[in-house]
Amino acid sequence: MNQQLPIRIVSKVVRGYGRGSKDLGIPTANISRDHLTCSIGSFDDLPTGIYWGYARIIAGESSSEKDGQETKNNNKISGRDVYTAAVSIGYNPTYNNKEKTVEPHLIAESSHPQRHASSTGETMFSDFYDTTIVLSVVGYLRPELPFEGLEKLTLAIKKDIEDACSLAKEDNTTNKEEKEWVLQHQQ
């Protein structure tokens, strides 16, 4: 599996089941299988598991951004920022999904006002459906596992987020290259 990493993905953000936000307090950006370009082939070729990486949302410019008069809204996501991501690729065995999904949770820096805004103390941005997401899946964290109850699942995801943050801070060539690719990639 590590021989396939990093995996570079560009797609659209679509509506998912809504469970990340509602059930778990850990919202995810659900990736469209129909608009996907991927460094290893198709959506179905993506290996299942829990991963970490980097992501950026490319949103259309607002009129104020075009005029150079950018307004600051702290719960909106910036198209210029690269976020660490904890990424689920698979079938969410706790929920018994029949279709594979790719769901990154974007993690704001600890000083960002939205970093601890969700009900479980994780990053919560405004919705950004129908925007382009640029995602580099850099490393493997663990296999997908079924959990007995949402509390145990939430604790495991919070550990994944902690691990993703720690690994993303490592100063190495792969991290630098993948973060730069996410930052520079255009639609």
Side-chain angles (χ1 to χ4, degrees):
M1 170 175 348
N2 282 337
Q3 65 271 20
Q4 292 180 310
L5 296 174
I7 300 169
R8 293 175 170 179
I9 297 170
V10 179
S11 191
K12 293 286 182 199
V13 177
V14 296
R15 289 188 184 277
Y17 297 105
R19 298 184 295 224
S21 294
K22 292 181 187 104
D23 289 0
L24 305 174
I26 304 171
T28 58
N30 295 274
I31 293 181
S32 170
R33 62 187 307 118
D34 299 327
H35 298 96
L36 178 109
T37 57
C38 178
S39 63
I40 65 165
S42 74
F43 193 93
D44 292 325
D45 294 330
L46 293 168
T48 61
I50 309 304
Y51 298 86
W52 72 274
Y54 301 104
R56 181 171 64 99
I57 299 297
I58 302 174
E61 287 185 325
S62 69
S63 57
S64 63
E65 287 173 322
K66 288 177 187 172
D67 294 339
Q69 299 173 356
E70 192 173 311
T71 57
K72 186 102 171 146
N73 184 341
N74 287 330
N75 75 341
K76 297 222 185 256
I77 200 155
S78 166
R80 293 174 308 280
D81 292 335
V82 174
Y83 298 92
T84 298
V87 185
S88 170
I89 300 176
Y91 298 92
N92 300 321
T94 301
Y95 289 101
N96 293 316
N97 287 6
K98 301 298 180 228
E99 286 189 34
K100 182 187 280 186
T101 58
V102 176
E103 303 178 61
H105 169 71
L106 279 57
I107 307 162
E109 291 290 328
S110 59
S111 61
H112 192 285
Q114 295 307 113
R115 175 59 183 95
H116 301 286
S118 81
S119 62
T120 58
E122 296 304 335
T123 302
M124 175 80 86
F125 291 112
S126 294
D127 292 336
F128 43 89
Y129 299 121
D130 300 319
T131 60
T132 298
I133 185 168
V134 179
L135 174 67
S136 174
V137 179
V138 178
Y140 180 80
L141 295 175
R142 63 175 176 84
E144 281 193 294
L145 300 168
F147 290 91
E148 292 180 19
L150 297 183
E151 185 176 321
K152 288 183 180 179
L153 174 59
T154 301
L155 289 172
I157 296 170
K158 287 177 79 61
K159 171 84 167 74
D160 298 335
I161 291 167
E162 183 180 306
D163 291 345
C165 289
S166 177
L167 291 164
K169 289 179 184 172
E170 290 182 4
D171 186 17
N172 63 56
T173 303
T174 300
N175 285 7
K176 288 175 185 173
E177 288 174 354
E178 293 311 300
K179 198 170 184 179
E180 186 64 21
W181 178 81
V182 168
L183 181 63
Q184 297 301 323
H185 188 84
Q186 301 300 314
Q187 286 179 299

PDB file of all heavy atoms in Angstrom, residues 18-35:
ATOM      1  N   GLY A  18     -24.220  13.136   5.802  1.00  0.00           N
ATOM      2  CA  GLY A  18     -24.396  14.112   6.869  1.00  0.00           C
ATOM      3  C   GLY A  18     -24.056  13.578   8.244  1.00  0.00           C
ATOM      4  O   GLY A  18     -24.266  14.245   9.246  1.00  0.00           O
ATOM      5  N   ARG A  19     -23.501  12.395   8.312  1.00  0.00           N
ATOM      6  CA  ARG A  19     -23.223  11.779   9.612  1.00  0.00           C
ATOM      7  C   ARG A  19     -21.998  12.368  10.291  1.00  0.00           C
ATOM      8  O   ARG A  19     -21.927  12.405  11.511  1.00  0.00           O
ATOM      9  CB  ARG A  19     -23.056  10.268   9.448  1.00  0.00           C
ATOM     10  CG  ARG A  19     -24.312   9.609   8.920  1.00  0.00           C
ATOM     11  CD  ARG A  19     -24.169   8.124   8.846  1.00  0.00           C
ATOM     12  NE  ARG A  19     -23.159   7.721   7.890  1.00  0.00           N
ATOM     13  CZ  ARG A  19     -23.308   6.727   7.022  1.00  0.00           C
ATOM     14  NH1 ARG A  19     -24.423   6.049   6.985  1.00  0.00           N
ATOM     15  NH2 ARG A  19     -22.329   6.410   6.213  1.00  0.00           N
ATOM     16  N   GLY A  20     -21.009  12.795   9.490  1.00  0.00           N
ATOM     17  CA  GLY A  20     -19.803  13.364  10.080  1.00  0.00           C
ATOM     18  C   GLY A  20     -20.119  14.555  10.957  1.00  0.00           C
ATOM     19  O   GLY A  20     -19.652  14.658  12.087  1.00  0.00           O
ATOM     20  N   SER A  21     -20.945  15.451  10.446  1.00  0.00           N
ATOM     21  CA  SER A  21     -21.323  16.637  11.214  1.00  0.00           C
ATOM     22  C   SER A  21     -22.349  16.310  12.289  1.00  0.00           C
ATOM     23  O   SER A  21     -22.183  16.660  13.451  1.00  0.00           O
ATOM     24  CB  SER A  21     -21.909  17.705  10.294  1.00  0.00           C
ATOM     25  OG  SER A  21     -20.938  18.176   9.416  1.00  0.00           O
ATOM     26  N   LYS A  22     -23.418  15.637  11.891  1.00  0.00           N
ATOM     27  CA  LYS A  22     -24.552  15.429  12.799  1.00  0.00           C
ATOM     28  C   LYS A  22     -24.282  14.375  13.866  1.00  0.00           C
ATOM     29  O   LYS A  22     -24.505  14.612  15.047  1.00  0.00           O
ATOM     30  CB  LYS A  22     -25.794  15.050  11.994  1.00  0.00           C
ATOM     31  CG  LYS A  22     -26.303  16.186  11.126  1.00  0.00           C
ATOM     32  CD  LYS A  22     -27.554  15.757  10.363  1.00  0.00           C
ATOM     33  CE  LYS A  22     -27.960  16.827   9.387  1.00  0.00           C
ATOM     34  NZ  LYS A  22     -27.629  16.511   8.018  1.00  0.00           N
ATOM     35  N   ASP A  23     -23.835  13.195  13.471  1.00  0.00           N
ATOM     36  CA  ASP A  23     -23.650  12.100  14.428  1.00  0.00           C
ATOM     37  C   ASP A  23     -22.355  12.214  15.219  1.00  0.00           C
ATOM     38  O   ASP A  23     -22.314  11.876  16.395  1.00  0.00           O
ATOM     39  CB  ASP A  23     -23.611  10.745  13.706  1.00  0.00           C
ATOM     40  CG  ASP A  23     -24.956  10.320  13.152  1.00  0.00           C
ATOM     41  OD1 ASP A  23     -25.950  11.055  13.321  1.00  0.00           O
ATOM     42  OD2 ASP A  23     -25.000   9.240  12.523  1.00  0.00           O
ATOM     43  N   LEU A  24     -21.290  12.677  14.540  1.00  0.00           N
ATOM     44  CA  LEU A  24     -19.964  12.595  15.142  1.00  0.00           C
ATOM     45  C   LEU A  24     -19.369  13.935  15.553  1.00  0.00           C
ATOM     46  O   LEU A  24     -18.411  13.970  16.313  1.00  0.00           O
ATOM     47  CB  LEU A  24     -19.005  11.910  14.158  1.00  0.00           C
ATOM     48  CG  LEU A  24     -19.450  10.534  13.653  1.00  0.00           C
ATOM     49  CD1 LEU A  24     -18.501  10.041  12.574  1.00  0.00           C
ATOM     50  CD2 LEU A  24     -19.539   9.549  14.795  1.00  0.00           C
ATOM     51  N   GLY A  25     -19.880  15.033  15.004  1.00  0.00           N
ATOM     52  CA  GLY A  25     -19.282  16.334  15.277  1.00  0.00           C
ATOM     53  C   GLY A  25     -17.939  16.495  14.586  1.00  0.00           C
ATOM     54  O   GLY A  25     -17.108  17.296  15.004  1.00  0.00           O
ATOM     55  N   ILE A  26     -17.728  15.721  13.523  1.00  0.00           N
ATOM     56  CA  ILE A  26     -16.478  15.765  12.775  1.00  0.00           C
ATOM     57  C   ILE A  26     -16.840  15.799  11.284  1.00  0.00           C
ATOM     58  O   ILE A  26     -16.903  14.765  10.623  1.00  0.00           O
ATOM     59  CB  ILE A  26     -15.574  14.554  13.103  1.00  0.00           C
ATOM     60  CG1 ILE A  26     -15.318  14.483  14.616  1.00  0.00           C
ATOM     61  CG2 ILE A  26     -14.258  14.649  12.339  1.00  0.00           C
ATOM     62  CD1 ILE A  26     -14.625  13.228  15.084  1.00  0.00           C
ATOM     63  N   PRO A  27     -17.112  16.996  10.764  1.00  0.00           N
ATOM     64  CA  PRO A  27     -17.557  17.095   9.367  1.00  0.00           C
ATOM     65  C   PRO A  27     -16.476  16.700   8.377  1.00  0.00           C
ATOM     66  O   PRO A  27     -15.289  16.883   8.634  1.00  0.00           O
ATOM     67  CB  PRO A  27     -17.924  18.570   9.219  1.00  0.00           C
ATOM     68  CG  PRO A  27     -17.146  19.268  10.275  1.00  0.00           C
ATOM     69  CD  PRO A  27     -16.991  18.299  11.409  1.00  0.00           C
ATOM     70  N   THR A  28     -16.920  16.137   7.249  1.00  0.00           N
ATOM     71  CA  THR A  28     -15.998  15.738   6.199  1.00  0.00           C
ATOM     72  C   THR A  28     -16.423  16.352   4.871  1.00  0.00           C
ATOM     73  O   THR A  28     -17.579  16.711   4.680  1.00  0.00           O
ATOM     74  CB  THR A  28     -15.956  14.200   6.043  1.00  0.00           C
ATOM     75  OG1 THR A  28     -17.273  13.720   5.760  1.00  0.00           O
ATOM     76  CG2 THR A  28     -15.416  13.538   7.297  1.00  0.00           C
ATOM     77  N   ALA A  29     -15.467  16.437   3.968  1.00  0.00           N
ATOM     78  CA  ALA A  29     -15.717  16.892   2.599  1.00  0.00           C
ATOM     79  C   ALA A  29     -15.841  15.637   1.739  1.00  0.00           C
ATOM     80  O   ALA A  29     -14.851  14.985   1.451  1.00  0.00           O
ATOM     81  CB  ALA A  29     -14.566  17.773   2.110  1.00  0.00           C
ATOM     82  N   ASN A  30     -17.050  15.275   1.367  1.00  0.00           N
ATOM     83  CA  ASN A  30     -17.269  14.068   0.580  1.00  0.00           C
ATOM     84  C   ASN A  30     -16.879  14.308  -0.868  1.00  0.00           C
ATOM     85  O   ASN A  30     -17.320  15.272  -1.481  1.00  0.00           O
ATOM     86  CB  ASN A  30     -18.732  13.639   0.682  1.00  0.00           C
ATOM     87  CG  ASN A  30     -19.074  13.244   2.099  1.00  0.00           C
ATOM     88  OD1 ASN A  30     -18.881  12.114   2.491  1.00  0.00           O
ATOM     89  ND2 ASN A  30     -19.551  14.211   2.883  1.00  0.00           N
ATOM     90  N   ILE A  31     -16.057  13.417  -1.402  1.00  0.00           N
ATOM     91  CA  ILE A  31     -15.496  13.588  -2.736  1.00  0.00           C
ATOM     92  C   ILE A  31     -16.346  12.862  -3.772  1.00  0.00           C
ATOM     93  O   ILE A  31     -16.689  11.687  -3.598  1.00  0.00           O
ATOM     94  CB  ILE A  31     -14.042  13.090  -2.754  1.00  0.00           C
ATOM     95  CG1 ILE A  31     -13.207  14.035  -1.881  1.00  0.00           C
ATOM     96  CG2 ILE A  31     -13.501  12.996  -4.154  1.00  0.00           C
ATOM     97  CD1 ILE A  31     -11.759  13.707  -1.805  1.00  0.00           C
ATOM     98  N   SER A  32     -16.646  13.571  -4.868  1.00  0.00           N
ATOM     99  CA  SER A  32     -17.438  13.007  -5.958  1.00  0.00           C
ATOM    100  C   SER A  32     -16.652  11.947  -6.714  1.00  0.00           C
ATOM    101  O   SER A  32     -15.519  12.184  -7.131  1.00  0.00           O
ATOM    102  CB  SER A  32     -17.850  14.118  -6.930  1.00  0.00           C
ATOM    103  OG  SER A  32     -18.408  13.564  -8.097  1.00  0.00           O
ATOM    104  N   ARG A  33     -17.268  10.816  -6.923  1.00  0.00           N
ATOM    105  CA  ARG A  33     -16.633   9.785  -7.735  1.00  0.00           C
ATOM    106  C   ARG A  33     -16.750  10.105  -9.216  1.00  0.00           C
ATOM    107  O   ARG A  33     -15.981   9.617 -10.035  1.00  0.00           O
ATOM    108  CB  ARG A  33     -17.178   8.402  -7.391  1.00  0.00           C
ATOM    109  CG  ARG A  33     -18.627   8.202  -7.644  1.00  0.00           C
ATOM    110  CD  ARG A  33     -19.206   6.859  -7.148  1.00  0.00           C
ATOM    111  NE  ARG A  33     -18.492   5.701  -7.623  1.00  0.00           N
ATOM    112  CZ  ARG A  33     -17.868   4.819  -6.824  1.00  0.00           C
ATOM    113  NH1 ARG A  33     -17.881   4.965  -5.527  1.00  0.00           N
ATOM    114  NH2 ARG A  33     -17.244   3.789  -7.338  1.00  0.00           N
ATOM    115  N   ASP A  34     -17.722  10.947  -9.593  1.00  0.00           N
ATOM    116  CA  ASP A  34     -17.967  11.277 -10.998  1.00  0.00           C
ATOM    117  C   ASP A  34     -17.021  12.340 -11.549  1.00  0.00           C
ATOM    118  O   ASP A  34     -16.835  12.424 -12.747  1.00  0.00           O
ATOM    119  CB  ASP A  34     -19.406  11.751 -11.189  1.00  0.00           C
ATOM    120  CG  ASP A  34     -20.409  10.671 -10.811  1.00  0.00           C
ATOM    121  OD1 ASP A  34     -20.110   9.478 -11.009  1.00  0.00           O
ATOM    122  OD2 ASP A  34     -21.488  11.025 -10.301  1.00  0.00           O
ATOM    123  N   HIS A  35     -16.460  13.179 -10.699  1.00  0.00           N
ATOM    124  CA  HIS A  35     -15.593  14.279 -11.147  1.00  0.00           C
ATOM    125  C   HIS A  35     -14.145  14.082 -10.725  1.00  0.00           C
ATOM    126  O   HIS A  35     -13.380  15.026 -10.642  1.00  0.00           O
ATOM    127  CB  HIS A  35     -16.110  15.609 -10.587  1.00  0.00           C
ATOM    128  CG  HIS A  35     -17.472  15.964 -11.060  1.00  0.00           C
ATOM    129  ND1 HIS A  35     -18.608  15.688 -10.330  1.00  0.00           N
ATOM    130  CD2 HIS A  35     -17.886  16.532 -12.210  1.00  0.00           C
ATOM    131  CE1 HIS A  35     -19.661  16.096 -11.004  1.00  0.00           C
ATOM    132  NE2 HIS A  35     -19.262  16.608 -12.145  1.00  0.00           N
TER     133      HIS A  35
END
